[in-house]
Amino acid sequence: GPVLVSIAGGVRTAALRRWLPDLPLVRAMPNRAALVGAGITALFASADVGREARELAEQVLTSVGRCVWVGEEALIDVVTAVSGSGPAYFFLLAEQLAAAGRALGLDAATAQLLATETLFGAGQLAHADPNLAEQRAAVASKGGTTEAALKVLHEGGLAALIDAAVQAAARRGAAMADEFGSP
């Protein structure tokens, strides 16, 4: 039978069940990369949703990328903060790389191309080998340019900023769900 797959951010299962109480319901959080078939979607279904309904939802969403299941609905807010909002974080980094390149003398088109192709290539490398620490270390030669730049990022508190940003997004996702309300 039919399965309702909701990609409505900030709308919990309980709220959706007010309108469609009898349909199996799967919440999904895809990201923007789904537009080019390279997305990642997290799925959540309550215990009353059967295997066939789960498989159907996953089959539909794997058409736009990979899928992962989370065991608690509250984790959809975390997924939203990490991968739903995540492309914007990478785009911001690429924007800043291009701006820095322009500030150091590159023309705008070259700086943009270097930043976007670097973003694309880094994504391909991470996809091929998801050990991100090893990937980073492979680029950073001891005493080299990358090590100097990474030192500045670490000392500037990049890790704390990213952690705070993801926490803020997760809190906002939960607050949106609370604002929308559930029975």
Side-chain angles (χ1 to χ4, degrees), residues 47-145:
D48 62 324
V49 176
R51 181 185 55 80
E52 287 182 11
R54 290 171 189 255
E55 288 175 357
L56 181 58
E58 187 170 345
Q59 180 182 6
V60 168
L61 288 158
T62 56
S63 69
V64 296
R66 296 182 66 183
C67 290
V68 297
W69 286 90
V70 295
E72 300 172 34
E73 186 169 17
L75 292 176
I76 291 291
D77 296 327
V78 177
V79 168
T80 301
V82 172
S83 67
S85 299
Y89 313 150
F90 288 102
F91 296 147
L92 176 61
L93 177 60
E95 285 179 82
Q96 294 305 306
L97 284 172
R102 288 190 309 273
L104 291 172
L106 292 172
D107 66 83
T110 300
Q112 179 81 15
L113 181 62
L114 290 168
T116 58
E117 288 298 310
T118 299
L119 176 65
F120 177 76
Q124 293 291 313
L125 287 168
H127 192 265
D129 179 1
N131 187 325
L132 302 178
E134 284 183 11
Q135 291 281 10
R136 178 178 36 83
V139 178
S141 303
K142 184 111 174 112
T145 59

